């Protein structure tokens, strides 16, 4: 079969290529302003909870509220600014310098420009390589348009300019302006890596910049040309003009979410869309026996038998490949049958691929196709293996309970059918089937069905899977409808989780303040007990009411003078005991009268009313009235330490040894300190279960990290040193993807890469 000459070697019409990049820029980057406000609100809330706020905090909140009220206008203005960058490139808005108005820049506008320049420099350094490649390709496009050299319409300078033009008239407070730029820089860092890759691939695919004819042998399944990004082409071979351009952009949807390029995101691995071709190649090498199977147990034997069968088939040449329509007929017939075989296969790694093949072979026999005379095509084998590895990885990287196996087993064949007909499942972030699987995993992960809300989530996830089984017939709209229904309930669940997380942050901060207050009171008491011999009454007063008074004052009273008075009361009682021992009665009486208000206040903080407090004071006076009373060195049990903050169950993931005392690698601990609020990690608990956890809060007092699960429940509170030890032990993986599908596919690729390296 002859293959048409690849059309990507000829340059596409520049205006249409530029319009496509513009569409993608507005679509992918145009929503950034709306993503800034939650992060600013969280930063202000954390500052308030930690007490690190100044007199302008109220003005900051008011400024943020005003920004939210203008959100729709600012979003539209920002999108217009993005589009104007492309108009400038096309020469539609080019003005001479003599036409530009001159005038003084207001201080607030100047601050915007200075902050913007700092972000431009940071982004230029971070994305230097793709920007250099893009600059050469846009120069070729400008020459094709007959235009002089103009600025990159999606370069950092233009993107920051669009932001400054959109927001500078809002006049936010200096702190909110700083947070705005910080959040904007973070959003650009997360999005630009994938976006620049897609834009460069599109320019190369349509003939701008370095490209070379394909060196691969053309097949009936398509071809691959050797650009810098190696953009894969699949589906119809004869793609021309905008079809090729849309195909290139669609294939460049990546797996990662920017962890690999973000500060502190070590350990993440970005898997761009072009790697799907390499993934297929590795799968086929594995099936041919060149690589050892990445699965274990039954999977290894299965791969070996397939390898032998493949060699026999190539030698005999007697078995024909199943046509796609035959394969789809088999899958459609089996789709509604009970998923027991797949549920059992998901109980152990490496079994699902064999279960799918056995089930499909049995189905082929039932429609009159002899499995002994037919075999799966390479693309069909790819679809089976990718779905099997995907579902296996989902169960290994998420805390999915036994009840979820049947639910996922029900989805196996519908996803095989999607994989057979649509490569977008593995390369497009917004694919409906991909979004549905993410939502189902979110609903099922760690769900023990202990509460009515958790049971409702499981029931809705089960209903979504049943709807797909009943209605899916090669129209992915059913996945979109099922996802919309499930996501509406997940939205409520996420809001409950956010509230639970907020309560946890407050509770943890309160507990740390309590521990710190107790440690301060213990230190003050032990210091005084060690310095002198005391009467039992004074020692008991110091160990109980006075120490408790210090704790309460530190927690409840922000007045430094009150705190100093609480500490000074202990020294005053030591002086009273010394005056009594020296039989200096008149001085003792005067001294007790002077500290009487402080003693009564101390007793009142322990919950005593006026009468009880007066009685307690009288007992202390009687004890001091006898100068010959016995005096000895006193001791007291510390209030702090032990299990005063978390119960044993809450501390089940903690490491023994405290914080910096545990043995750890300093460089790993330094990486852990770079973790930011909102970053996701995966932990392996003491029972061997994998738990997805998010950094919800970093203590301003102890620098410990609070990690919560998707339900807003505490998973772990640990220092950077403890996290470093867990990482070195293989119990902690950072750089986890936010999407369960992305994370599962990343693990699939890692397994295949590791297998290739081992071979």
């Amino acid at each position: 079969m002859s293959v048409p000459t690849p059309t990507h070697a000829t340059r596409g019409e520049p205006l249409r290529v530029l319009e496509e990049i513009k569409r993608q820029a507005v679509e992918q980057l145009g929503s950034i302003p709306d993503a800034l406000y939650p992060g600013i609100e969280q930063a202000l809330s954390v500052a308030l909870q930690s007490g690190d706020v100044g007199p302008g905090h109220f003005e900051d909140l008011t400024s943020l509220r005003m920004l939210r009220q203008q959100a729709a206008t600012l979003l539209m203005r920002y999108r217009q600014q993005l589009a104007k960058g492309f108009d400038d490139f096309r020469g539609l808005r080019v003005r001479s310098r003599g036409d530009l108005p001159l005038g003084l820049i207001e201080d607030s506008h100047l601050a915007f420009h200075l902050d913007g320049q700092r972000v431009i420099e940071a982004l230029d350094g971070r994305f230097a390589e793709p920007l250099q490649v893009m600059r050469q390709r846009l120069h070729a496009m400008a020459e094709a348009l007959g235009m002089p050299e103009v600025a990159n319409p999606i370069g950092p300078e233009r993107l920051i300019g669009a932001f400054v033009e959109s927001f500078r008239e809002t006049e936010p407070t200096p702190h909110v302006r700083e947070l705005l730029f910080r959040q904007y820089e973070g959003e650009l860092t997360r999005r630009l890596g994938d976006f620049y890759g897609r834009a460069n691939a599109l320019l190369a695919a349509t003939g701008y910049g370095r490209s070379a004819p394909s060196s691969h042998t053309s097949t009936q399944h398509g071809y691959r040309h050797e650009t810098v990004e190696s953009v894969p082409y699949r589906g119809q071979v004869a793609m021309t003009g905008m079809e090729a351009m849309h195909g290139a952009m669609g294939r460049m949807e990546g797996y990662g979410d920017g962890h690999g390029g973000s500060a502190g995101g070590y350990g993440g691995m970005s898997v761009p869309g072009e790697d799907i071709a390499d993934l297929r190649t590795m799968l086929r090498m594995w099936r041919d026996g060149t690589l050892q199977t990445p699965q274990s147990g039954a999977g290894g034997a299965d791969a070996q038998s397939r390898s032998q069968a493949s060699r026999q088939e190539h030698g005999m040449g007697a078995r024909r490949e199943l046509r796609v329509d035959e394969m789809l007929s088999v899958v459609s017939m089996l789709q509604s049958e009970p998923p027991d075989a797949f549920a059992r296969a998901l109980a152990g790694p490496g079994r699902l691929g064999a279960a799918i093949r056995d089930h499909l072979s049995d189905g082929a026999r039932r429609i009159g196709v002899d499995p002994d005379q037919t075999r799966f095509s390479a693309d069909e084998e790819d679809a089976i293996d990718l779905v099997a590895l995907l579902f296996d990885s989902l169960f290994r990287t998420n805390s999915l309970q036994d009840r979820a196996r049947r639910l996922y087993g029900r989805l196996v064949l519908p996803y095989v059918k999607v994989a057979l007909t649509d490569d977008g499942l593995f390369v497009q972030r917004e694919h409906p089937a991909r979004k549905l699987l993410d939502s189902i995993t979110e609903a099922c992960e760690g769900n023990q069905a202990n509460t009515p809300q958790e049971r409702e989530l499981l029931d809705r996830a089960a209903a979504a899977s049943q709807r797909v089984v009943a209605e899916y017939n090669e129209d992915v709209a059913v996945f979109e409808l099922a996802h919309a229904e499930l996501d509406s309930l997940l939205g409520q669940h996420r809001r409950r989780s956010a509230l639970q997380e907020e309560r946890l942050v407050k509770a943890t901060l309160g507990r740390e303040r309590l521990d710190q207050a107790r440690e301060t009171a213990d230190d003050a008491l032990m210091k005084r007990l060690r310095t002198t011999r005391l009467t039992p009454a004074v020692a008991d007063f110091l160990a109980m009411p006075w120490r408790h008074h210090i704790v309460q004052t530190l927690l409840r009273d922000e007045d430094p003078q009150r705190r100093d008075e609480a500490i000074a009361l202990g020294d005053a009682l030591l002086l009273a005991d010394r005056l009594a021992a020296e039989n200096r009665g008149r001085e003792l009486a005067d001294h007790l009268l002077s500290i009487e208000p402080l003693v009564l206040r101390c007793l009142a903080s322990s919950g005593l009313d006026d009468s009880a407090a007066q009685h307690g004071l009288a007992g202390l006076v009687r004890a001091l009235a006898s100068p010959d009373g016995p005096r000895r060195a006193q001791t007291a049990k510390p209030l702090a330490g032990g299990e005063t903050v978390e119960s044993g169950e809450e501390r089940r993931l903690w490491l023994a040894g405290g914080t910096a005392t545990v043995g750890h690698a300093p460089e790993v601990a330094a990486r852990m300190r770079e973790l930011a609020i909102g970053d996701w990690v995966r932990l392996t608990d003491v029972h061997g279960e994998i738990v997805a956890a998010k950094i919800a809060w970093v203590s301003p007092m102890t620098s410990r990290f609070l990690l919560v699960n998707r339900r807003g429940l505490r998973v772990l509170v640990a220092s950077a040193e403890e996290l470093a030890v867990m990482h070195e032990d293989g119990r902690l993986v950072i750089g986890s993807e936010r999407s369960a599908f992305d994370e599962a596919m990343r693990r699939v690729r890692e397994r295949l890469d590791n297998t290739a390296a081992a071979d």
Side-chain angles (χ1 to χ4, degrees):
M1 175 179 175
S2 62
V3 179
T5 302
T7 59
H8 62 267
T10 304
R11 285 186 177 179
E13 183 180 345
L15 292 181
R16 298 180 72 187
V17 176
L18 192 65
E19 190 65 26
E20 176 63 16
I21 298 177
K22 174 182 174 182
R23 183 187 68 81
Q24 290 287 334
V26 174
E27 179 180 305
Q28 300 295 325
L29 307 179
S31 62
I32 287 182
D34 279 348
L36 306 180
Y37 309 124
I40 298 174
E41 186 174 13
Q42 185 179 28
L44 294 177
S45 176
V46 169
L48 179 62
Q49 293 164 7
S50 62
D52 186 21
V53 294
H57 182 70
F58 178 76
E59 287 77 7
D60 292 340
L61 293 176
T62 303
S63 179
L64 176 59
R65 184 166 61 252
M66 296 297 294
L67 286 174
R68 283 188 177 276
Q69 291 174 356
Q70 304 175 64
T73 301
L74 293 172
L75 180 66
M76 183 62 67
R77 190 182 301 167
Y78 179 75
R79 294 167 73 93
Q80 290 172 348
Q81 289 293 330
L82 288 181
K84 285 179 181 178
F86 291 87
D87 293 342
D88 288 344
F89 189 89
R90 295 170 57 185
L92 300 181
R93 298 179 62 255
V94 174
R95 299 187 293 182
S96 67
R97 288 192 176 271
D99 296 331
L100 297 176
L102 300 176
L104 297 176
I105 299 179
E106 297 181 14
D107 289 343
S108 59
H109 293 181
L110 179 61
F112 262 92
H113 284 285
L114 292 176
D115 287 343
Q117 188 60 43
R118 176 188 59 78
V119 179
I120 290 172
E121 293 172 359
L123 295 176
D124 278 336
R126 183 180 297 276
F127 299 106
E129 185 174 347
L131 285 171
Q132 177 62 27
V133 174
M134 190 182 301
R135 188 176 299 113
Q136 298 172 359
R137 293 172 175 171
L138 290 175
H139 177 73
M141 178 177 284
E143 288 181 343
L145 289 169
M147 296 293 301
E149 187 74 20
V150 292
N152 182 349
I154 52 176
E157 185 173 1
R158 181 66 214 182
L159 295 177
I160 298 302
F163 181 76
V164 170
E165 288 296 322
S166 302
F167 279 83
R168 68 179 180 180
E169 300 296 337
T170 59
E171 298 184 354
T173 62
H175 185 46
V176 171
R177 186 190 69 244
E178 178 188 349
L179 292 174
L180 268 173
F181 275 96
R182 188 185 306 168
Q183 293 293 323
Y184 186 58
E185 180 181 359
E187 286 295 323
L188 287 179
T189 299
R190 281 189 285 273
R191 302 188 191 196
L192 286 184
D194 289 341
F195 178 67
Y196 282 163
R198 291 194 296 270
N200 269 324
L202 173 59
L203 290 167
T206 50
Y208 296 97
R210 300 190 303 271
S211 63
S214 173
S215 60
H216 293 272
T217 304
S218 298
T219 70
Q220 64 181 16
H221 301 295
Y223 58 87
R224 179 177 178 180
H225 71 93
E226 293 296 317
T227 65
V228 171
E229 286 78 23
S230 299
V231 184
Y233 284 82
R234 296 199 177 275
Q236 297 295 329
V237 174
M239 295 200 305
T240 59
M242 291 304 292
E243 293 178 358
M245 181 162 51
H246 283 291
M249 292 301 294
R251 296 312 189 265
M252 287 309 296
E253 293 288 345
Y255 290 121
D257 65 352
H259 282 290
S262 62
Y266 94 104
M269 183 183 72
S270 175
V271 185
E274 66 263 23
D275 280 1
I276 189 68
D278 295 335
L279 194 60
R280 287 181 178 274
T281 300
M282 296 179 71
L283 285 168
R284 294 175 185 183
M285 293 172 67
W286 167 51
R287 286 195 296 271
D288 288 339
T290 304
L291 293 183
Q292 306 231 347
T293 175
Q295 302 168 347
S296 59
D302 180 58
Q304 185 176 3
S305 64
R306 290 201 308 273
S307 175
Q308 294 172 353
S310 175
R311 287 192 291 269
Q312 293 173 0
E313 289 159 8
H314 288 300
M316 296 171 57
R319 301 174 68 183
R320 71 172 181 86
E321 292 183 352
L322 278 174
R323 300 191 307 272
V324 174
D325 61 316
E326 291 176 324
M327 186 71 161
L328 293 176
S329 297
V330 172
V331 176
S332 298
M333 179 189 68
L334 300 174
Q335 183 171 301
S336 59
E337 294 188 356
D340 297 341
F342 302 139
R344 289 192 298 271
L346 286 171
R351 303 176 186 173
L352 185 58
I356 296 174
R357 287 180 172 84
D358 291 343
H359 209 56
L360 292 177
S361 296
D362 181 64
R365 184 179 291 107
R366 285 156 59 182
I367 66 171
V369 177
D370 186 359
D372 295 330
Q373 302 299 320
T374 57
R375 59 187 176 90
F376 299 123
S377 69
D379 284 348
E380 291 163 354
E381 294 275 9
D382 289 346
I384 293 170
D385 281 329
L386 284 173
V387 171
L389 293 171
L390 168 66
F391 276 68
D392 273 341
S393 183
L394 280 172
F395 266 78
R396 281 198 307 276
T397 56
N398 296 277
S399 180
L400 299 174
Q401 310 302 313
D402 289 342
R403 179 176 175 180
R405 283 210 303 269
R406 186 173 178 84
L407 189 156
Y408 280 82
R410 192 182 295 122
L411 293 171
V412 166
L413 287 182
Y415 276 81
V416 170
K417 188 190 292 188
V418 176
L420 285 169
T421 58
D422 189 356
D423 262 352
L425 173 65
F426 300 104
V427 295
Q428 294 176 1
R429 281 186 176 277
E430 298 302 314
H431 195 284
R434 186 169 181 157
K435 292 165 65 177
L436 175 62
L437 201 57
D438 280 337
S439 294
I440 288 177
T441 303
E442 182 180 350
C444 294
E445 185 176 16
N447 193 334
Q448 302 280 359
N450 294 328
T451 66
Q453 293 82 6
E454 290 184 339
R455 289 191 289 272
E456 184 182 10
L457 264 181
L458 282 180
D459 292 342
R460 189 70 66 87
S465 67
Q466 290 167 352
R467 177 169 190 170
V468 168
V469 169
E471 300 180 16
Y472 175 52
N473 189 21
E474 300 179 41
D475 183 1
V476 295
V478 65
F479 290 95
E480 197 160 1
L481 292 173
H483 169 261
E485 293 177 358
L486 179 57
D487 198 58
S488 63
L489 182 61
L490 280 172
Q492 303 173 21
H493 166 75
R494 295 184 192 111
R495 287 190 289 273
R496 285 195 299 270
S497 299
L499 290 174
Q500 173 67 21
E501 182 180 319
E502 185 178 348
R503 287 194 292 268
L504 266 180
V505 169
K506 292 179 179 179
T508 306
L509 177 60
R511 287 170 171 174
E512 288 195 345
R513 291 185 63 217
L514 175 60
D515 267 355
Q516 187 179 62
R518 285 174 169 174
E519 289 174 2
T520 301
D522 284 343
D523 291 342
L525 175 64
M526 300 306 174
K527 178 181 178 181
R528 285 154 180 81
L529 291 183
R530 286 195 301 265
T531 58
T532 185
R533 301 168 66 85
L534 299 172
T535 58
V538 173
D540 291 344
F541 190 94
L542 291 174
M544 296 296 294
W546 178 66
R547 179 164 52 167
H548 180 75
H549 179 55
I550 292 177
V551 172
Q552 295 301 312
T553 303
L554 292 176
L555 290 176
R556 298 178 179 179
D557 205 327
E558 298 295 332
D559 186 353
Q561 183 178 353
R562 287 293 185 91
R563 295 184 174 189
D564 292 342
E565 287 177 353
I567 299 293
L569 176 59
D571 296 325
L573 289 172
L574 292 179
L575 175 59
D577 191 83
R578 188 169 70 252
L579 292 174
E582 296 172 359
N583 200 15
R584 297 158 64 182
R586 180 166 295 279
E587 293 179 55
L588 173 62
D590 293 340
H591 182 66
L592 288 175
L593 286 174
S594 68
I595 66 172
E596 178 181 357
L598 295 178
V599 173
L600 292 177
R601 187 187 304 162
C602 174
L603 292 170
S605 69
S606 297
L608 301 181
D609 58 17
D610 290 341
S611 176
Q614 290 288 348
H615 182 74
L617 175 61
L620 185 62
V621 171
R622 282 195 302 271
L624 292 172
S626 175
D628 297 329
R631 288 175 171 80
R632 62 179 183 273
Q634 304 286 343
T635 59
K637 183 178 180 180
L639 289 174
E643 299 291 331
T644 58
V645 173
E646 284 83 12
S647 67
E649 177 62 23
E650 289 174 326
R651 290 174 58 90
R652 60 192 175 92
L653 283 178
W654 281 52
L655 298 178
T659 56
T661 59
V662 295
H664 66 280
E667 62 275 9
V668 179
R671 290 176 179 175
M672 297 301 164
R673 293 188 189 96
E674 295 176 357
L675 290 173
I677 294 175
D679 287 347
W680 284 89
V681 301
R682 291 198 175 269
L683 299 171
T684 303
D685 66 14
V686 293
H687 304 296
E689 295 182 358
I690 295 176
V691 181
K694 181 181 74 171
I695 307 296
W697 176 70
V698 182
S699 170
M701 300 174 63
T702 63
S703 298
R704 293 192 302 175
F705 295 88
L706 170 64
L707 283 75
V708 300
N709 61 18
R710 297 191 189 278
R711 282 161 175 70
L713 301 177
R714 177 167 49 196
V715 173
L716 175 67
V717 181
S719 65
E721 292 80 9
E722 289 173 321
L723 294 179
V725 173
M726 295 182 71
H727 178 73
E728 293 169 22
D729 291 343
R731 294 176 55 204
L732 173 70
V733 177
I734 68 174
S736 177
E737 307 288 353
R738 297 182 181 182
S739 158
F741 196 108
D742 290 344
E743 179 68 13
M745 286 306 300
R746 184 171 74 92
R747 295 302 184 95
V748 168
R749 179 58 190 261
E750 283 180 350
R751 290 170 64 188
L752 292 177
D753 282 344
N754 291 339
T755 304
D759 187 71

